Amino acid sequence: MSHKYVYEFSEGDGSMRNLLGGKGANLAEMTGLGMPVPEGFCITTEACTRYYADGEQIGDDIRDEIITYIGKLEEMTGKKFGDPENPLLVSVRSGSRASMPGMMDTILNLGMNEAVVEAFAQKTGNPRFVYDSYRRFIQMYSDVVMEVGKAYFEELIDEMKERKGVKNDLELDADDLKQLAGEFKEEYKSKIGADFPSDPIEQLFGAIKAVFRSWDNPRAVYYRRLNDIPSDWGTAVNVQSMVFGNLGDTSGTGVAFSRNPATGDRGLYGEFLMNAQGEDVVAGIRTPLTIDQLKAQNPAVYDEFQAIVDKLEDHYRDMQDMEFTIEEGKLYMLQTRNGKRTAAAAFKIACDLVDEGQISPEQAVKMIDPKQIDALLHPQFDPDELAAAVPIGKGLPASPGAASGKVVFTAEHAAEQGKLGEDVVLVRLETTPEDIEGMHYAKGILTARGGMTSHAAVVARGMGTCCVSGLGEITFGPKSFSLGGETYHEGDWISLDGSTGNVYGEAIKTVPAEIGGYFGRIMEWADEFRTMKVRTNADTPHDAAQAREFGAEGIGLCRTEHMFFEPDRIAAIREMIVSKTVEQREAALAKLLPMQRGDFEGIYEAMEGFPVTIRLLDPPLHEFLPHDEEDIVALAGEMSISVDELHAVIDSLHEFNPMMGHRGCRLDVTFPEIGAMQTRAIIEAAINVQAKHPEWDLVPEIMIPLVGEVKELAYVKKIVVDTADAIIAESGVDLKYLVGTMIEIPRAALTADEIAKDAEFFSFGTNDLTQMTFGFSRDDAGKFLDAYYEKKIYENDPFARLDQTGVGKLVELAVDLGKQTRPDIKLGICGEHGGDPSSIEFCQKVGLNYVSCSPFRVPIARLAAAQSALNNK
Ligand code: PEP
Ligand code: MG
């Protein structure tokens, strides 16, 4: 039998998500549960992959299969494609494995043509509904399939409303809509140069191809990169017989969540519109009613819907996000999926589901996306400043948090300014999927239109970005908006409170978020299931203390050079660099010693006895010297040397490729006094702090960077050991310490069995290891990586997400070789990947003992590590 690419909903089930996509699998599952789902079929994700493999063509075998299933759908519904007497009309919708809200396009009412419309208008006795459906179809098809754009059609509607002297679409009558449909078709012909297709089969294949194509549109590609969704998953296409929410006053359509997606509170939460189609609710063109009002208007439908919601929650054991339509009083379910929610809601819902006996703590830990924690840790307004501020308007509290920034009016501008590090608030009539990049860079989003389920609200919640939507009083001028009697221009500061919907015409200070009790409960469970430790990369006592608050169990990387940039020490380090003799260098280092010792004492104190890994000086020395002539002259004066002499030193330190030059352990090979001074500071600080805290068992870990050859490690290690042992012997204290290395040069990974003879621990420096394995600079890759994403050479930034195929292979090899020599070798990671959930899963798989990341990513790493442990039990 040939490969099967199409499934009726009744042939599938919820377990077939990879093949049918989330939407298709859930429609199949609901069909199996006996819920009122309009009949239809699903074209698989494999068909999408084939479409691309075949050079963006639908193969004849797949085409035939789809036509067979249209035949089956005609039989099931008793309707026929293109039959004026009893036309089959369908919706065509995308649905990938992971939900990608707003990223894909939908076409409704497919199957309409002049003959169908005329007969259908007569048969239903409701020509207004029929022409409304028809003009919507032409509009959507033109926009989505032929990419004509929506704007022209919106203009034609506005012109028609103006001619008729009406404000609302609903006030246009059947003749108006019929005329509009004609105008739309003319518009189509003028843009495309051909008649609007009247053959439903041609319409259908146009729509299916458009869905496949939309998998690769720029905003979908961007969303996938943001969410680690591989491009080879593809999207399924759902073809479903239409039910109509715009059939009159007993029809309607809505979206609802089984719990409040902002707070997590239990109870139906949603919006609906009578006499409308789905897009009207989410597009924010008409302001919808709340779901409670449905109870008052139509208690029978409401009760039926509530019963379905309860059954779905019981079934999926998670909060559901549903779409429904009421056609002449009869309820239909069009979609269900696990609902997107704020970070706060995610933690509450997970705890509530455990308390309700629906899920286990393990499942609760697994159901939270670690990246969402970012949003919980985001700032809130300073309460005093907030109390003094007066709102200029109030919209819907679409996505919580606080944001202050300069007004921008386009997504491009938001992205451009955001990339420069500016705080901006994006102010729009409404947002569309094209705006995704700008929304990502904006600190906050304010829209004039749209409800709690509008594009702006859903996307902002997913991103954890503060958003106020539906503030209808806003009026727009050229690069300005007016609200509360004031006009705000591009660049003016405003503030948004995404938890109340308040908007302020000024900057308001923000303060760090407080993490609530649900977060603590989940993290406690996470810590129980976790097998890897989570450490932090911190260079100051302040950062170390912050990381402890977030649950760090030690420091995996203390970059000592960061301390050298402090104003009181840069003079001493520069003196050390320009020294001509060992004696001069030692004298300069002696000035640095007490400062370094003090830093390390602070860090040990902040870490309360947890392990601390301190790395010897790493960067090339020229980084510490000035480069402007003015600064050079000033420094020469300070150091009592001639400007020429200083120039000569700076010139001598010039390197063509400093990241591969005189840095890391190479500094200690040439200037052993540097390593000796740093070792002294590390050991003396440990002896002092240990004396103050006999209850702690301090074992400093001294880390030698950028090793590629065991002999250079052995050479530097001897400096460290000789210095440390002499100090310990002199002090009479029994202090233990470890000496280890970073694995950040491919040669170190390849010879890890040799290296492990002299290293008591390995810490994978995957920033350098990635740079050196790929052979491109971590500082310059940004300039060309976009071209690599566009051309599908890379899907992700390898500096953010560990390249498991290449760099990962080196890590795995080094782990194996290291363990062969030293079975109990301590293994960790301290590159940026230590805070990235997918890279953390890799660390779990290869058997690292800990991951180390920046303080604000510690909670993310704790949760990701727990999930990795549970997934790899
Ligand atoms: C690394 O290379 O991964 C690392 C942690 O060191 P740095 O980023 O300081 O080079
Ligand atoms: Mg490095």
Side-chain angles (χ1 to χ4, degrees), residues 690-705:
Q690 180 71 75
K692 265 182 41 197
H693 297 280
E695 72 282 11
W696 296 347
D697 190 15
L698 291 189
V699 183
E701 299 174 359
I702 301 173
M703 183 152 77
I704 299 169

Side-chain angles (χ1 to χ4, degrees), residues 169-487:
D169 293 7
L170 282 179
E171 294 168 274
L172 297 174
D173 64 23
D175 287 339
D176 302 334
L177 293 165
K178 182 175 181 178
Q179 194 185 325
L180 262 182
E183 290 176 14
F184 281 11
K185 289 209 313 189
E186 274 168 34
E187 186 71 39
Y188 178 95
K189 192 169 179 181
S190 81
K191 289 277 177 311
I192 300 292
D195 285 328
F196 188 83
S198 59
D199 173 13
I201 291 290
E202 185 186 342
Q203 294 171 356
L204 178 68
F205 281 98
I208 293 170
K209 279 190 197 162
V211 172
F212 286 159
R213 272 203 315 271
S214 75
W215 174 251
D216 244 6
N217 73 32
R219 56 183 196 268
V221 170
Y222 183 76
Y223 186 90
R224 284 206 292 276
R225 206 163 76 235
L226 217 61
N227 292 281
D228 293 336
I229 299 171
S231 65
D232 61 7
W233 279 6
T235 179
V237 185
N238 297 291
V239 178
Q240 190 170 27
S241 100
M242 285 292 304
V243 284
F244 294 95
N246 54 344
L247 211 44
D249 292 339
T250 56
S251 302
T253 188
V255 291
F257 293 89
S258 58
R259 296 173 196 236
N260 184 320
T263 62
D265 289 340
R266 197 167 180 174
L268 264 187
Y269 183 87
E271 293 165 333
F272 75 104
L273 277 172
M274 292 313 275
N275 202 6
Q277 272 196 338
E279 48 159 3
D280 297 336
V281 181
V282 285
I285 292 160
R286 283 162 58 196
T287 298
L289 305 176
T290 69
I291 203 87
D292 295 339
Q293 287 165 287
L294 179 64
K295 190 174 189 172
Q297 283 190 9
N298 194 334
V301 167
Y302 181 90
D303 289 346
E304 189 188 350
F305 183 59
Q306 177 72 68
I308 289 175
V309 173
D310 289 344
K311 198 165 166 185
L312 284 173
E313 262 231 358
D314 274 0
H315 188 73
Y316 287 104
R317 295 168 190 263
D318 196 356
M319 183 260 259
Q320 294 300 295
D321 165 6
M322 296 147 296
E323 282 180 26
F324 62 93
T325 282
I326 306 161
E327 186 184 72
E328 297 187 316
K330 175 159 173 34
L331 176 68
Y332 291 94
M333 296 300 294
L334 301 186
Q335 170 165 329
T336 192
R337 61 182 174 198
N338 293 341
K340 297 247 173 232
R341 61 206 77 180
T342 62
F347 281 89
K348 176 167 166 52
I349 289 170
C351 289
D352 286 352
L353 287 170
V354 171
D355 294 340
E356 290 161 21
Q358 292 275 33
I359 60 171
S360 66
E362 288 190 15
Q363 286 165 315
V365 164
K366 277 168 86 166
M367 77 191 286
I368 291 170
D369 176 358
K371 286 198 196 123
Q372 266 202 312
I373 293 178
D374 257 344
L376 261 199
L377 311 177
H378 281 174
Q380 302 291 311
F381 285 131
D382 174 284
D384 293 334
E385 283 210 18
L386 186 64
V390 181
I392 52 170
K394 191 177 172 78
L396 298 171
S399 179
S404 226
K406 291 180 185 166
V407 171
V408 292
F409 291 103
T410 65
E412 296 76 52
H413 196 194
E416 184 191 298
Q417 294 291 303
K419 283 179 190 167
L420 295 174
E422 289 284 344
D423 290 353
V424 292
V425 172
L426 178 61
V427 184
R428 305 276 285 153
L429 189 60
E430 57 191 314
T431 64
T432 64
E434 284 87 0
D435 294 337
I436 183 134
E437 194 189 11
M439 295 174 76
H440 183 62
Y441 276 103
K443 292 273 175 247
I445 296 155
L446 171 63
T447 69
R449 285 180 181 168
M452 293 291 285
T453 45
S454 64
H455 178 265
V458 171
V459 173
R461 269 202 297 275
M463 288 177 173
T465 300
C466 160
C467 175
V468 173
S469 71
L471 212 175
E473 287 93 322
I474 289 181
T475 53
F476 287 90
K479 290 201 172 185
S480 67
F481 76 90
S482 299
L483 181 63
E486 291 282 345
T487 298

Side-chain angles (χ1 to χ4, degrees), residues 615 618 663 706 742 744 765 767-768 778:
R615 179 176 78 182
D618 184 51
R663 57 172 288 221
L706 228 71
M742 296 186 71
E744 49 184 349
N767 304 334
D768 271 312
R778 55 205 260 197

